Amino acid sequence: MALPKTDPTTTPAWQQLTAHHNAIKELHLKSFFQNDPKRAKTLSIEWDDFLVDYSKHRITEETVDLLLQLAQEMKLGAAIEAYFSGDLINETEGRAVLHTALRAKKEETVLVAGKNVVPEVYEIREKIKRFSDAVISGEKTGYSDKPFTDIVNIGIGGSDLGPVMATEALGFYKNHLNIHFVSNVDGDHVQEIIKKLDPETTLFIVVSKSFTTQETQSNAQTIKEWFLQHAPETAIAEHFIAVSTNAEKIREFGITEDNVFPMWDWVGGRFSLWSAVGLSIALSVGYKNYEQLLEGANSMDTHFRTSELSVNIPVILALISVWYNNFFGAETEAIIPYTQYLHRLSAYLQQGIMESNGKSRARNGERVGYETGTIIWGEPGTNSQHAFFQLIHQGTKLIPTDFIGFKKPLHGNQDHHNKLMANFFAQTEALMNGKTEEEVQQELQGSGLSEEDIQQLLPFKLFEGNKPTTTLLIDRLSPKNLGALIALYEHKIFVQGVVWNIFSYDQWGVELGKQLAKTILKEIENSEFGNHDASTLRLLQKFSQK
Ligand code: F6P
């Protein structure tokens, strides 16, 4: 089934949501809690190791009902089935969207053009297992028979961000291998990595779905040249691995067939960490943990595919996001994990969310008349509290924020964990409640300031509150829970794309800059500039002056 091409603003639910928004937009979150003592329980979902509390949002039960009605009028249920069944929902590229098949259970059937792809997926998983076991155990060695100590992942975008995020996130489960990532075409990036490496004990994984991406090709070439200054040509077979769909280009690069881990065109780059793109994750934490990551994602898939929309975590979080984006006019969302291990989570989700839903054309090709993709940003707490929380608390912008915290610390330092989590809970409470004039006054009266000074200071110390947050309280940062968390955001992306009537799985918007860069590169190399605007031309001339 193709996804329908309905403008969401023409649905009855959208009209009702508009009226409902007008009726409740001025209400303070505090009053929702005063009026409904059961709210914390009603507006939360407990699932597996997750408690998702969405009660600190500027919504009522009526809002949720209307949002669910919108989802139904946009035919979300059928769309979810089309997504999991391998229908060609990536219409502009004529592809299925099946990252979920990469973590399917062995006995499941997922058809692509009439063929069950699950056996192939498991074949590659078996290859990942054999390979990672052999490297970790030292059975597989480099050209001089020494075991590998360092792994370098060469890739960009989805071929980098997922592996970086996940290997950092699972740092607690890491083995002895040092994992490095080279992504930027900035030559200083690759040199900084190279200087840490010993060619005899380093394994290179070139990850590129297309195997044509400029950054990855340049970095792989530079690394290969450096490697061959130290090692014989035959050593390439021991030290270079490729993850890609492009067999021909891999061969041209000189990587042997045995060292190729295939990908499929039904997996988008930004959703590919579940494929062999995640090889560096398996190498870093071992196959068992890697498998757990996939299992966690699979259990979130089942939750998403089978739960009623009203108790479906990705659905509810996606609809709340639509509520702020389209009715309150919020432009950004912050994601704040209270664990340093997740310090690359928001960078990873930026690609997933913004490359997917940063679209302005409706599915019928016309320009949309409403807002789509949200801007995503964030950093771990508590660091972020000392950086940008001022703006969330007292700035003029409405920033719905996800707080992700864990009940148990990994190293068992309970004292630190209590402090960390005290901040976690305090922030969402403070953002919701704010501080009233009376409260500020009372506080200042005890400080010995004159009444005049108090009155002058008072407005600056006020907190309006009413700042919405979602709390995700998860048992612990295990590979399984990480898998479920990532899958949650993946499905949230999908739901929003369905509601916004856009195609979430292409990324034509990254092409124009790439094309122009090719032309400009030639011009820079020949010191001859073609037709540019006056600003670009002047900058290019300045750059070319020695
Ligand atoms: O930035 C565009 C993009 O196509 C991403 O979607 C993708 O993850 C990245 O480039 C890398 O592409 P490849 O894996 O083909 O090198």
Side-chain angles (χ1 to χ4, degrees):
M1 162 199 135
L3 296 178
K5 297 180 166 56
T6 311
D7 178 342
T9 63
T10 62
T11 60
W14 194 282
Q15 310 304 321
Q16 288 174 50
L17 277 161
T18 307
H20 173 69
H21 173 251
N22 275 327
I24 74 157
K25 67 181 181 209
E26 304 297 345
L27 299 180
H28 200 287
L29 255 174
K30 275 194 295 191
S31 68
F32 293 144
F33 277 88
Q34 279 150 10
N35 298 337
D36 177 8
K38 293 206 198 91
R39 180 179 172 92
K41 189 140 198 292
T42 350
L43 300 182
S44 66
I45 302 172
E46 285 188 64
W47 171 82
D48 216 339
D49 283 351
F50 286 56
L51 165 59
V52 180
D53 180 335
Y54 59 96
S55 63
K56 291 192 185 81
H57 278 294
R58 293 167 69 172
I59 55 174
T60 63
E61 284 185 51
E62 187 187 348
T63 322
V64 178
D65 288 344
L66 288 172
L67 287 167
L68 289 168
Q69 187 189 322
L70 174 66
Q72 259 144 13
E73 287 169 8
M74 293 306 290
K75 308 276 182 274
L76 178 62
I80 292 175
E81 261 327 288
Y83 170 42
F84 279 91
S85 311
D87 294 4
L88 303 183
I89 60 168
N90 177 0
E91 211 175 292
T92 61
E93 293 181 334
R95 291 174 181 165
V97 177
L98 276 176
H99 42 278
T100 50
L102 300 170
R103 59 239 188 175
K105 296 231 162 58
K106 209 170 188 169
E107 58 280 7
E108 280 178 50
T109 299
V110 182
L111 298 177
V112 175
K115 186 180 161 218
N116 182 14
V117 295
V118 177
E120 263 177 76
V121 166
Y122 272 82
E123 217 177 279
I124 302 306
R125 272 171 72 164
E126 193 47 45
K127 186 168 176 175
I128 295 174
K129 180 179 178 337
R130 277 197 312 274
F131 185 80
S132 54
D133 283 353
V135 173
I136 295 165
S137 68
E139 181 199 325
K140 183 174 167 47
T141 57
Y143 68 93
S144 60
D145 277 345
K146 290 187 186 164
F148 289 109
T149 54
D150 292 72
I151 312 290
V152 181
N153 186 97
I154 309 164
I156 196 165
S159 299
D160 166 71
L161 288 162
V164 179
M165 180 277 292
T167 49
E168 289 291 303
L170 300 177
F172 179 74
Y173 306 88
K174 218 177 128 6
N175 55 34
H176 62 283
L177 295 170
N178 303 308
I179 315 280
H180 312 269
F181 292 90
V182 178
S183 51
N184 202 321
V185 75
D186 174 2
D188 292 338
H189 189 194
V190 64
Q191 290 307 330
E192 282 300 327
I193 301 293
I194 284 178
K195 78 182 191 195
K196 298 179 192 156
L197 305 174
D198 175 351
E200 287 183 63
T201 58
T202 305
L203 181 76
F204 300 97
I205 314 175
V206 188
V207 186
S208 178
K209 184 177 166 186
S210 58
F211 224 74
T212 56
T213 305
Q214 186 196 51
E215 290 89 339
T216 306
Q217 289 305 305
S218 306
N219 284 325
Q221 207 53 48
T222 300
I223 285 179
K224 186 174 149 190
E225 281 160 22
W226 165 81
F227 181 75
L228 288 176
Q229 285 165 15
H230 305 271
E233 185 88 34
T234 49
I236 299 266
E238 259 95 36
H239 288 254
F240 281 79
I241 305 293
V243 181
S244 181
T245 52
N246 193 339
E248 199 187 313
K249 289 271 172 206
I250 298 170
R251 221 173 302 119
E252 274 172 32
F253 185 86
I255 294 178
T256 50
E257 218 165 283
D258 273 3
N259 286 350
V260 178
F261 288 78
M263 283 174 79
W264 299 274
D265 70 358
W266 38 264
V267 179
R270 53 193 175 274
F271 305 103
S272 63
L273 75 88
W274 322 99
S275 71
V277 168
L279 185 59
S280 55
I281 309 170
L283 286 162
S284 170
V285 298
Y287 187 78
K288 242 184 158 167
N289 285 316
Y290 171 75
E291 203 173 38
Q292 286 281 302
L293 180 79
L294 269 59
E295 267 175 34
N298 175 265
S299 48
M300 179 55 79
D301 294 345
T302 307
H303 165 78
F304 177 57
R305 192 176 182 178
T306 60
S307 305
E308 293 278 317
L309 299 187
S310 60
V311 289
N312 193 314
I313 302 170
V315 171
I316 293 292
L317 297 192
L319 292 173
I320 290 175
S321 174
V322 168
W323 173 238
Y324 290 117
N325 188 63
N326 297 95
F327 298 91
F328 278 94
E331 297 224 310
T332 81
E333 279 172 25
I335 298 176
I336 315 292
Y338 274 66
T339 165
Q340 200 56 32
Y341 287 119
L342 288 180
H343 71 114
R344 296 297 289 160
L345 181 69
S346 73
Y348 168 72
L349 291 175
Q350 275 173 340
Q351 188 199 9
I353 297 172
M354 292 159 76
E355 198 166 271
S356 299
N357 286 337
K359 310 286 165 64
S360 49
R361 293 283 157 180
R363 288 197 282 266
N364 64 3
E366 282 170 20
R367 202 181 190 291
V368 295
Y370 46 87
E371 291 293 322
T372 61
T374 41
I375 300 162
I376 299 298
W377 55 289
E379 279 289 317
T382 57
N383 295 17
S384 49
Q385 293 175 199
H386 298 271
F388 52 74
F389 266 46
Q390 164 67 37
L391 185 143
I392 305 183
H393 279 286
Q394 281 191 318
T396 53
K397 302 206 161 34
L398 178 65
I399 302 164
T401 305
D402 288 356
F403 280 73
I404 303 169
F406 296 87
K407 275 162 85 177
K408 298 182 194 117
L410 295 181
H411 284 280
N413 191 330
Q414 200 57 46
D415 172 52
H416 274 264
H417 198 63
N418 290 346
K419 287 174 187 157
L420 175 75
M421 294 306 282
N423 277 281
F424 174 82
F425 297 116
Q427 287 297 332
T428 59
E429 194 169 35
L431 285 165
M432 173 171 82
N433 288 335
K435 202 186 263 184
T436 62
E437 220 172 295
E438 297 76 64
E439 285 166 331
V440 178
Q441 192 131 20
Q442 232 174 36
E443 206 175 86
L444 290 177
Q445 265 155 6
S447 70
L449 285 173
S450 71
E451 195 46 42
E452 199 190 340
D453 286 346
I454 290 178
Q455 286 317 315
Q456 255 173 22
L457 202 50
L458 199 136
F460 304 100
K461 293 204 140 217
L462 283 180
F463 288 70
E464 288 168 8
N466 214 13
K467 314 286 187 198
T469 59
T470 301
T471 300
L472 288 110
L473 185 61
I474 305 168
D475 191 52
R476 60 202 285 273
L477 182 50
S478 61
K480 183 166 176 275
N481 286 335
L482 178 68
L485 181 68
I486 301 168
L488 187 172
Y489 280 103
E490 286 179 349
H491 299 321
K492 180 179 171 190
I493 293 168
F494 170 80
V495 175
Q496 288 182 292
V498 170
V499 173
W500 286 327
N501 184 32
I502 54 176
F503 288 123
S504 299
Y505 297 100
D506 57 21
Q507 56 285 315
W508 302 110
V510 295
E511 293 305 320
L512 178 59
K514 281 192 206 169
Q515 270 170 12
L516 204 49
K518 271 192 197 152
T519 311
I520 292 183
L521 176 60
K522 278 205 192 104
E523 293 178 355
I524 291 174
E525 285 169 351
N526 300 330
S527 295
E528 226 174 80
F529 301 109
N531 198 11
H532 295 282
D533 63 86
S535 157
T536 309
L537 191 60
R538 183 160 176 268
L539 291 165
L540 284 169
Q541 284 161 346
K542 274 270 174 213
F543 175 72
S544 295
Q545 278 165 14
K546 295 284 170 278

